[in-house]
């Protein structure tokens, strides 16, 4: 447990930013994507719906998943999957490959969203609300910054594929960063009941 801000906090903040990037990059780039890989309105509209559905499924499954690995490992795995999904999408030349990349984004985003808040609670079991509020602030920060940055890049005629690759590099960096950090919690990392999980989520 930690009583002050540490590199673990920085890791949780970067994880939230990566999750926000995975949420906003598709809507921002979608007009250019539809031109590039020739998908219709129905197919393009289903992409973000599918990603959100996968995130929801992972959130539901997270109660059982936590029994196999600790929260930090799941967050790192989520960041790696987001990076892989972004890289894969940047090379997609048809709808099938692109939807597979969205599947990776959804799984990675679900793992990130499910375990970041519980991880912050493990880092700061005292004064939890303060640190949860601080960590969660980085999601809207990421949304705003990523939307403006990606929009500016597209305005300057940077290909959406390069935008995805830039985002993938950042996501991969965040994944490696959290993977390298050491954390031993005094709390039982393998026990996460439905009641205390919902309490953590609602407090964030």
């Amino acid at each position: 447990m930690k009583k002050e801000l540490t590199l673990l906090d920085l890791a949780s903040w970067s994880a939230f930013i990566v999750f926000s990037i995975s949420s906003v990059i598709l809507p921002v780039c979608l007009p250019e994507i539809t031109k590039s890989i020739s998908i219709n309105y129905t197919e393009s509209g289903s992409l973000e719906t599918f990603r959100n559905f996968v995130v929801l499924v992972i959130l539901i499954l997270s109660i059982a998943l936590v029994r196999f690995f600790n929260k930090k490992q799941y967050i790192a795995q989520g960041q790696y999957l987001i990076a892989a999904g972004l890289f894969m999408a940047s090379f997609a030349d048809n709808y099938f490959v692109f939807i597979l990349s969205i599947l990776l984004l959804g799984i990675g985003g679900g793992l990130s969203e499910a375990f970041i808040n519980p991880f912050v609670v493990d880092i700061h079991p005292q004064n939890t609300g303060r640190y949860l509020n601080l960590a969660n602030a980085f999601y809207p920060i990421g949304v705003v910054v990523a939307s403006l940055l990606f929009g500016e890049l597209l305005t300057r005629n940077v290909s959406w594929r390069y935008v995805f690759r830039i985002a993938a590099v950042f996501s991969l960096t965040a994944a490696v960063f959290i993977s390298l950090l050491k954390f031993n919690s005094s709390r039982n990392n393998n026990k996460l009941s439905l009641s205390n999980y919902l309490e953590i989520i609602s407090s964030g």
Side-chain angles (χ1 to χ4, degrees), residues 11-174:
S12 68
W13 301 346
S14 64
F16 260 126
I17 292 174
V18 169
F19 177 49
S20 70
I21 288 173
S22 73
S23 302
V24 77
I25 192 168
L26 183 58
V28 171
C29 296
L30 190 58
E32 296 301 317
I33 294 171
T34 56
K35 297 176 185 177
S36 178
I37 61 177
S38 300
I39 58 178
N40 59 42
Y41 290 116
T42 301
E43 292 170 336
S44 62
S46 67
L47 292 173
E48 185 63 16
T49 301
F50 178 62
R51 189 193 70 83
N52 281 303
F53 174 76
V54 175
V55 169
L56 175 61
V57 171
I58 298 300
L59 284 171
I60 294 171
L61 293 176
S62 64
I63 302 299
L65 291 175
V66 78
R67 299 178 181 275
F68 299 99
F69 299 98
N70 65 51
K71 303 177 188 76
K72 187 178 78 72
Q73 289 175 314
Y74 274 121
I75 296 170
Q77 290 163 9
Q79 308 288 286
Y80 282 119
L81 286 171
I82 289 173
L86 291 168
F87 272 123
M88 184 176 180
S90 74
F91 292 99
D93 58 0
N94 59 67
Y95 181 75
F96 178 72
V97 175
F98 202 86
I99 202 71
L100 289 179
S101 69
I102 297 301
L103 175 63
L104 295 180
L105 285 180
I107 296 173
L111 290 173
S112 298
E113 185 173 13
F115 294 105
I116 295 175
N117 281 337
F119 179 58
V120 172
V121 171
D122 280 354
I123 301 172
H124 302 288
Q126 307 297 327
N127 202 7
T128 296
R130 171 190 175 188
Y131 292 102
L132 280 174
N133 289 337
L134 180 59
N136 279 267
F138 282 86
Y139 180 84
I141 290 172
V143 167
V144 172
V145 173
S147 297
L148 293 174
L149 175 61
F150 297 158
E152 180 64 20
L153 290 173
L154 293 173
T155 300
R156 294 177 180 273
N157 295 318
V158 175
S159 169
W160 68 268
R161 296 183 185 275
Y162 287 109
V163 172
F164 268 69
R165 290 166 195 168
I166 292 170
V169 170
F170 180 82
S171 303
L172 182 60
T173 302

